[in-house]
């Protein structure tokens, strides 16, 4: 039996509606005239544009050649101990730490003041030496000589008094800081308060004991093992060298002042100027060293501050304004 050809009316019909199944007449539009369904079957696929997709980098395996090597000592690095945020709920309370923090708050500004006065004294001594050189060729101005003598006398009076006061605070701070560092490490202090004070004051011992005390404070504050030998930091080594040199030079200047003669006095002026410059450098480095040790012993407590966001007037006040 031969297949029958489609009727002319069926050839004019469009595709069947996927909802109702009826065939819409050809040219009737994209929507079904019976149910309103969109006749074209669509499938939406979201794909990223080709410009935003990056090819995956090819992984290249290299042969291990050992640890990195540097031609010089790297200057970068991490701090010796990580920063610990303070706990405002239960801040650590320690009597030696509070005393050390209070003493450092007074000692650090006095150390910077001592450095400034020492620089002024060094300038006065250099000016006096320049006047001594100028006096070989002729007479000097009376005003210049009087101003130089007044400056030397003022700086020579203020600097020793300020140094003694600052030195006393520094000795007391080292005693309290040693106790606070021992409490932080959970050990007993290796030196008594009397041994620390005598180590600062007794000639000969003051060349080694102060540096050892500060090195032990730094070692305990960093939380290093108690059985390990303390290893001073670079800042502490610089301070130790300046301190020892200043002690020796102060003894030399004291003995030089016992000599008589014009040339001895002129050389004494130069020695005083060098000693004043060394004292200024030592005071500045000491201020930085005390600040560094206090940061290791414990971060400063956060200052709480009240903040008023809004003020709502009472109901009676609002009614009176209305």
């Amino acid at each position: 039996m031969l297949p029958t050809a489609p009727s002319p009316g069926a050839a004019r019909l469009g595709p069947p509606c996927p909802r109702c199944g009826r065939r819409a007449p050809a040219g009737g539009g994209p929507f079904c005239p019976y149910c309103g369904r969109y006749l074209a079957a669509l499938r939406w696929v979201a794909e990223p544009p080709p410009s935003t997709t990056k090819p995956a980098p090819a992984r290249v395996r290299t042969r291990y050649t050992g640890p990195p090597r540097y031609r010089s000592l790297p200057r970068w690095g991490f701090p010796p101990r990580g920063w610990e945020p303070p706990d405002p709920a239960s801040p650590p309370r320690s009597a030696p730490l509070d005393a050390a923090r209070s003493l450092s708050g007074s000692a650090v500004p006095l150390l910077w003041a001592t450095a400034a006065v020492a620089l002024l004294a060094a300038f006065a001594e250099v000016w006096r030496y320049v006047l001594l050189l100028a006096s070989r060729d002729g007479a000097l101005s009376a005003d210049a000589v009087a101003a130089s003598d007044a400056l030397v006398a003022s700086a020579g009076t203020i600097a020793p008094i300020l140094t003694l006061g600052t030195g006393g605070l520094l000795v007391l701070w080292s005693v309290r800081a040693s106790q606070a560092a021992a409490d932080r490490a959970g050990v007993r202090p290796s030196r008594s308060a009397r041994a620390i004070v005598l180590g600062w004051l007794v000639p000969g011992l003051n060349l080694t004991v102060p540096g050892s005390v500060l090195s032990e404070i730094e070692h305990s504050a960093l939380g290093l093992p108690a059985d390990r030998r303390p290893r001073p930091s670079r800042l502490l080594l610089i301070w130790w060298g300046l301190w020892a040199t200043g002690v020796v030079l102060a003894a030399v200047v004291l003995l030089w002042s016992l000599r008589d003669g014009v040339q001895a006095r002129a050389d004494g002026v130069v020695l005083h100027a060098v000693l004043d410059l060394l004292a200024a450098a030592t005071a500045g480095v000491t201020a930085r060293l005390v600040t560094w040790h206090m940061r290791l012993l414990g971060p400063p407590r956060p200052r709480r501050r009240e903040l008023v966001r809004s003020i709502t007037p009472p109901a009676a006040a609002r009614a009176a304004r209305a």
Side-chain angles (χ1 to χ4, degrees):
M1 183 177 180
L2 297 175
T4 58
S7 59
R12 297 178 181 177
L13 297 178
C17 179
R19 177 184 295 176
C20 62
R22 300 181 181 180
R23 292 179 176 271
F31 298 95
C32 178
Y34 305 103
C35 64
R37 174 65 185 272
Y38 191 70
L39 297 179
L42 300 178
R43 182 181 179 184
W44 298 93
V45 178
E47 296 182 356
S51 59
T52 59
T53 58
K54 297 181 180 180
R59 300 181 60 181
V60 180
R61 288 190 175 184
T62 58
R63 185 173 58 87
Y64 179 71
T65 58
R69 301 177 181 178
Y70 304 95
R71 296 182 178 177
S72 59
L73 184 63
R75 298 296 181 182
W76 51 266
F78 297 101
R81 182 167 62 86
W83 179 78
E84 299 177 0
D87 187 5
S90 58
R93 301 293 298 179
S94 174
L97 180 59
D98 293 341
R101 184 179 289 114
S102 177
L103 290 171
S104 66
S106 302
V108 171
L110 287 178
L111 285 169
W112 289 114
T114 304
V117 174
L119 286 176
L120 182 62
F123 172 75
E125 295 292 344
V126 171
W127 189 12
R128 168 172 286 187
Y129 189 76
V130 171
L131 292 179
L132 289 176
L133 294 179
S135 64
R136 297 183 303 176
D137 299 332
L140 299 176
S141 172
D143 295 337
V145 174
S148 175
D149 293 341
L151 186 59
V152 170
S154 301
T157 303
I158 297 175
I161 297 176
L162 194 59
T163 301
L164 289 177
T166 307
L169 289 178
L170 184 62
V171 173
L172 294 177
W173 171 84
S174 63
V175 173
R176 296 303 183 183
S178 177
Q179 297 173 357
D183 293 345
R184 180 182 181 87
V187 297
R188 292 190 306 173
S190 59
R191 304 172 191 267
S192 62
R194 181 179 180 182
I196 295 176
V197 174
L198 292 178
W200 280 95
L201 300 179
V202 176
L205 294 179
N206 54 7
L207 294 176
T208 58
V209 173
S212 300
V213 171
L214 297 179
S215 180
E216 293 168 359
I217 294 174
E218 189 178 69
H219 183 85
S220 300
L222 290 173
L224 300 177
D227 55 350
R228 184 186 302 178
R229 184 181 180 87
R231 186 176 181 181
S233 61
R234 182 181 301 176
L235 180 62
L236 181 53
L237 290 177
I238 294 175
W239 177 87
W240 204 339
L242 291 174
W243 169 260
T245 306
V247 172
V248 174
L249 186 58
V252 172
V253 171
L254 182 61
L255 295 177
W256 196 272
S257 62
L258 301 178
R259 300 183 58 183
D260 295 330
V262 179
Q263 186 60 39
R265 293 182 180 180
D267 295 339
V269 172
V270 177
L271 290 176
H272 276 88
V274 175
L275 181 60
D276 292 334
L277 290 175
L278 186 60
T282 305
V285 175
T286 306
R288 292 193 57 185
L289 188 66
V290 171
T291 305
W292 161 251
H293 279 76
M294 290 309 304
R295 289 179 181 177
L296 292 180
L297 289 174
R301 295 189 182 93
R303 297 182 179 179
R304 298 183 178 181
R305 184 177 61 176
E306 295 184 359
L307 180 61
V308 180
R309 298 184 60 181
S310 62
I311 299 178
T312 304
R318 290 200 302 268
R321 291 180 181 180

